[in-house]
Amino acid sequence: MPSLPPWLRKSLTTLATVAATILGLLFVTFMIGRVMPIDPVLAVIGERATQAQYDETFLALGLDKPLLVQFGIYVNSVLHGDLGQSIRTGQEVSTDIARVFPATLELATLGTLIGIILGVPLGVLAAVKRGSWIDQIARFVGLIGYSMPIFWLGLLGLLVFYGILGWVAGPGRVGIFYQGVVEPITGMLLVDSALRGEWAVFRDAFSHIILPASLLGYYSLAYISRMTRSFMLEQLGSEYVTTARVKGLSEWNVIWGHAFRNIRIQLVTVIALAYANLLEGSVLTEIIFAWPGLGQYITTSLLANDMNSVLGGTIVIGTIFVGINIFSDLLYRFFDPRAK
């Protein structure tokens, strides 16, 4: 029997790994829904229902079937896009997530861009000026970003930039006057208002998003700058960098054309992880700034014992992590021909 081509074998291996990961994620969320001290029947029909209603709902939910059969039904439903119905909103969980996720995506994307634009040059500069006051400041900035709780920075930012200075708008995604003005296209308000030419809405939305996005960007900057500095120090100490300098190449060419070029592959993973962390870890930021995103949706649902919504949001976040890892792997192959 002829062996499979290397590219096909690698693709099948990747596909099997992704399938196993998704299946494991579904199993974990399924078990969480079963071990939580919340009766799924009472969560649906309420505590004042009769025993007959309870028994009917119990059978309708398939809770009388063996656990393995229940898991199979659960997997089949999720694969068909059925995440159940939200008890809190009365709508399909998939519909709710499609409504709130663009807000989280917009916030995390802007925060990641801020982290990249400021963090990468700061890390490179700190490595080039190792031991100088610039390096010390960069390391101090990174240390503060790692040490300070995001909720404390959020409250402090609201107090200073909104309450005292008045430079930015307050909590929320847009002012009351502009709510509903822009018809959604992508669900991301900055993008939609720009596409519609509603620049007054764009300015108001930007004034609301810039503070929480900057805080998330600062958190991302701390991680990206620290890793960039570490990668650059390793490259700047290599022999090929010394050789390039001996040949008379400019310092700019040595740093950006040689050393930085060789850390792009490592930075792909760092930035992908930073982006995934902001998508998943912006819960506290969304709560502080009353941002109507996925994090606030999951938290509110958890407080209301709406497990379908909580598990649906968890599945979406886990799937995003898997997707980002696959995308970073594809970028690896683009930047490094040896990985093809």
Side-chain angles (χ1 to χ4, degrees), residues 83-275:
L83 300 177
Q85 189 176 41
S86 171
I87 300 170
R88 185 171 57 88
T89 65
Q91 297 182 330
E92 293 293 324
V93 174
S94 56
T95 303
D96 285 343
I97 291 177
R99 172 176 52 84
V100 301
F101 181 69
T104 297
L105 181 65
E106 184 177 40
L107 181 62
T109 301
L110 184 57
T112 304
L113 288 175
I114 292 174
I116 295 172
I117 293 173
L118 299 179
V120 172
L122 182 62
V124 172
L125 186 61
V128 174
K129 303 293 185 180
R130 182 180 183 180
S132 66
W133 63 271
I134 297 178
D135 185 25
Q136 298 299 327
I137 291 177
R139 295 170 67 182
F140 178 76
V141 168
L143 179 62
I144 294 298
Y146 270 106
S147 305
M148 292 294 181
I150 189 68
F151 70 88
W152 186 84
L153 284 177
L155 294 175
L156 183 63
L158 278 175
L159 175 63
V160 175
F161 296 104
Y162 169 62
I164 298 177
L165 299 177
W167 289 356
V168 298
R173 197 178 182 191
V174 70
I176 298 177
F177 181 76
Y178 295 109
Q179 289 182 1
V181 173
V182 176
E183 185 178 351
I185 301 175
T186 65
M188 294 182 285
L189 193 54
L190 289 179
V191 177
D192 292 347
S193 58
L195 292 176
R196 298 289 187 185
E198 297 285 351
W199 297 111
V201 179
F202 180 89
R203 288 190 294 270
D204 187 78
F206 183 80
S207 180
H208 279 82
I209 197 176
I210 187 60
L211 181 56
S214 296
L215 292 176
L216 290 177
Y218 178 47
Y219 178 78
S220 179
L221 177 151
Y223 175 59
I224 293 175
S225 63
R226 178 184 177 188
M227 299 306 296
T228 302
R229 177 184 181 275
S230 177
F231 296 151
M232 283 296 294
L233 285 176
E234 181 181 357
Q235 295 299 320
L236 292 174
S238 301
E239 293 183 358
Y240 77 90
V241 171
T242 304
T243 304
R245 285 171 172 160
V246 169
K247 288 183 177 180
L249 295 179
S250 64
E251 192 67 12
W252 177 272
N253 197 359
V254 170
I255 294 171
W256 295 101
H258 289 72
F260 181 77
R261 185 176 182 180
N262 285 338
I263 71 168
R264 292 182 304 173
I265 301 173
Q266 296 164 297
L267 282 180
V268 166
T269 301
V270 170
I271 292 173
L273 290 176
Y275 188 41

Side-chain angles (χ1 to χ4, degrees), residues 32 64 102 123 139 155 207 280 291 294 316:
I32 290 175
D64 59 316
R139 295 170 67 182
L155 294 175
S207 180
E280 179 267 339
W291 193 261
L294 183 59
V316 170

